Structure formats: structure tokens, C-alpha cells
């Protein structure tokens, strides 16, 4: 049986979280790369498409335009991204539990 959309979203978020778990605190204080932000935004778009009712319960997409854009980064740090991922995973678990 192929994985459900919910399972695929969980895996994508868990993979991002796993990648961040091996980073040092110093690395996590750096700004999120544009590529990582685009990937996270893609996941959020999929979550909202699948579960539109939870749009207001999860974080907004990461703004890709910032003063760090020319450096290939966003205003968001990896610590922030980790919190956004945790929040999104928690909300998805509530949705799936229903």
C-alpha cells in the first residue's frame, strides 16, 4: 500500500528535523538558506492544501525576500525553523488523531 499524503508530509518534516538535530547550537544560530526555506515552504503549502482548516494553526511560510537574500539566506534562523517544524508536526498529529 502506498504511503498516505499525511505520512509523506510527516516524513518530509521529520527529515528536516533530523538534519537540524545534528547541527551545533552555533550552526543553528545562522540564517536559513533560501533553498531550505523553499523546501520548508513547499511542505507548508502541501499541508495547507491537504488540511485547509489548520492554515491558521501553523506558522506562515518563510519570507524569501530579506536583507540576507543576496547572501542566499533568509531572516529566519535554523533555531526558528526547528520550532516551526515542531509546531507543524504537532498540529499534523492532532489532525491525524481525529
Amino acid at each position: 500500500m502506498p504511503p498516505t499524503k499525511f505520512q509523506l508530509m510527516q516524513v518530509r518534516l521529520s527529515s528536516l528535523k533530523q538534519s537540524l538535530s545534528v547541527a551545533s547550537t552555533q550552526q543553528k544560530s545562522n540564517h536559513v538558506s533560501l533553498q531550505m526555506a523553499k523546501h520548508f515552504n513547499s511542505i507548508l503549502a502541501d499541508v495547507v492544501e491537504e488540511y485547509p482548516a489548520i492554515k491558521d494553526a501553523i506558522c506562515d511560510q518563510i519570507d524569501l525576500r530579506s536583507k540576507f537574500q543576496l547572501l542566499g539566506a533568509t531572516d529566519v534562523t535554523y533555531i526558528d525553523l526547528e520550532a516551526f517544524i515542531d509546531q507543524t508536526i504537532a498540529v499534523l498529529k492532532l489532525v491525524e488523531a481525529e
Side-chain angles (χ1 to χ4, degrees):
M1 175 184 306
T4 66
K5 288 183 181 182
F6 173 82
Q7 290 170 324
L8 292 173
M9 286 183 269
Q10 286 281 71
V11 166
R12 291 170 68 195
L13 287 165
S14 296
S15 296
L16 279 178
K17 185 175 171 69
Q18 177 62 31
S19 296
L20 291 174
S21 73
V22 298
S24 69
T25 304
Q26 183 178 358
Q27 290 170 318
K28 288 182 183 181
S29 66
N30 292 327
H31 293 267
V32 173
S33 69
L34 288 173
Q35 187 62 31
M36 181 75 79
K38 287 177 186 177
H39 183 65
F40 180 69
N41 286 350
S42 168
I43 295 170
L44 286 181
D46 290 347
V47 168
V48 170
E49 182 179 324
E50 187 69 17
Y51 305 104
I54 67 169
K55 183 180 189 282
D56 294 333
I58 59 173
C59 63
D60 293 330
Q61 290 192 354
I62 297 172
D63 188 355
L64 301 178
R65 295 185 208 141
S66 74
K67 60 185 174 187
F68 300 102
Q69 183 179 5
L70 292 177
L71 300 173
T74 66
D75 284 337
V76 174
T77 67
Y78 285 101
I79 292 171
D80 297 328
L81 178 59
E82 194 168 34
F84 297 159
I85 291 168
D86 287 342
Q87 176 192 18
T88 306
I89 289 172
V91 171
L92 277 175
K93 284 181 180 177
L94 285 175
V95 169
E96 187 63 12
E98 290 186 9

